[in-house]
Amino acid sequence: VSAAAVVGIALFGVVMMFFSSWILSRTVLRGEATSFSLELPPYRPPRILQTLYTSMIDRTLIVLWRAIIFAIPAGAVIWLISNVTFGGVSIAQHSVDWLEPFGLLLGLNGVILLAYVVAIPANEIVIPTVLMLTVLVTPELADQGVGAGVMFEEDSLGTTEALLRAGGWTLLTAVNLMLFSLLHNPCSTTIYTIFKETGSLKWTTVATMMPVLMGVTVCFLVAQVWRLVII
């Protein structure tokens, strides 16, 4: 079942790729069809030093530097919202409570939505952030021994499942998390790269917001159909 779910998500991604292309070609990219010409560079013997330089400096280090620039503020934000309190309640708890109704409408929850907001600098930290916030806002998990604002991952899938179920997760939550992860906005490094290469705020906004709208729409529809079928 797990393998089928992953394959299904991958195939659905291909379907959504063609669908989004069809939508764009009839909206913001509507117009006369243009040809695409690709000029290949002349063949040369491999240049080892140039290849190493391009791979290490131009590709690896620059991308890592951009990730560091965005990741450090994200880490600070995660720690602050978890440890700064108002009325004895952390900013994270206030944010989760505020986002919870909208999250449930999408078949998700407030913890997941907040995790995606604070994890914009690096999508890889979504799940550790979800676990951290789940422990933070769920009284039954107060004995986990994890400090506020400290991200972690459980070693056991069974432990992770028990933690998420204690946080109110259902099968619908898991399915819609997969769908939203497939469709949601790119991370801040990718957004910055899109802006640098296009030089256009318009296209950067389109590339950022269109996946968000698609993810919200798909999750909303799946949640409504799911609840209708269960009822």
Side-chain angles (χ1 to χ4, degrees):
V1 172
S2 300
V6 173
V7 172
I9 289 293
L11 294 177
F12 183 70
V14 175
V15 171
M16 293 304 294
M17 177 191 69
F18 284 109
F19 176 73
S20 59
S21 176
W22 181 79
I23 291 293
L24 288 171
S25 65
R26 284 159 177 77
T27 54
V28 293
L29 297 179
R30 181 175 52 196
E32 182 179 354
T34 58
S35 59
F36 175 74
S37 299
L38 178 63
E39 181 179 353
L40 296 175
Y43 290 99
R44 295 189 180 94
R47 300 178 181 180
I48 297 178
L49 293 179
Q50 183 178 0
T51 301
L52 290 175
Y53 174 83
T54 302
S55 300
M56 291 298 298
I57 304 299
D58 192 36
R59 297 292 184 266
T60 305
L61 295 182
I62 292 179
V63 171
L64 287 176
W65 175 245
R66 289 179 182 174
I68 291 173
I69 292 175
F70 290 110
I72 290 178
V77 168
I78 290 173
W79 188 90
L80 287 172
I81 66 173
S82 302
N83 290 274
V84 176
T85 61
F86 290 98
V89 180
S90 66
I91 296 177
Q93 179 70 70
H94 284 297
S95 302
V96 168
D97 293 341
W98 184 71
L99 291 170
E100 187 75 7
F102 184 60
L104 294 177
L105 187 65
L106 301 180
L108 301 170
N109 57 39
V111 165
I112 295 174
L113 294 187
L114 181 59
Y116 272 104
V117 171
V118 299
I120 288 177
N123 292 331
E124 294 82 4
I125 67 173
V126 167
I127 296 301
T129 305
V130 166
L131 296 178
M132 182 268 292
L133 291 173
T134 300
V135 171
L136 183 67
V137 304
T138 307
E140 295 82 359
L141 301 174
D143 59 347
Q144 288 289 318
V146 181
V150 178
M151 290 185 294
F152 67 96
E153 291 189 61
E154 294 286 1
D155 296 329
S156 167
L157 289 178
T159 306
T160 301
E161 179 187 3
L163 188 152
L164 295 176
R165 286 188 181 277
W169 278 49
T170 64
L171 182 57
L172 173 61
T173 312
V175 170
N176 274 9
L177 177 66
M178 294 177 68
L179 292 171
F180 194 75
S181 297
L182 173 72
L183 300 171
H184 82 291
N185 57 287
C187 65
S188 56
T189 304
T190 304
I191 295 172
Y192 176 75
T193 301
I194 293 172
F195 179 74
K196 290 284 289 185
E197 294 194 2
T198 62
S200 169
L201 184 60
K202 169 190 172 183
W203 292 116
T204 303
T205 303
V206 170
T208 302
M209 297 307 300
M210 184 174 178
V212 175
L213 295 175
M214 292 171 62
V216 168
T217 302
V218 169
C219 287
F220 175 78
L221 293 176
V222 169
Q224 302 315 305
V225 172
W226 189 288
R227 288 160 182 154
L228 181 63
V229 170
I230 291 178
I231 293 174

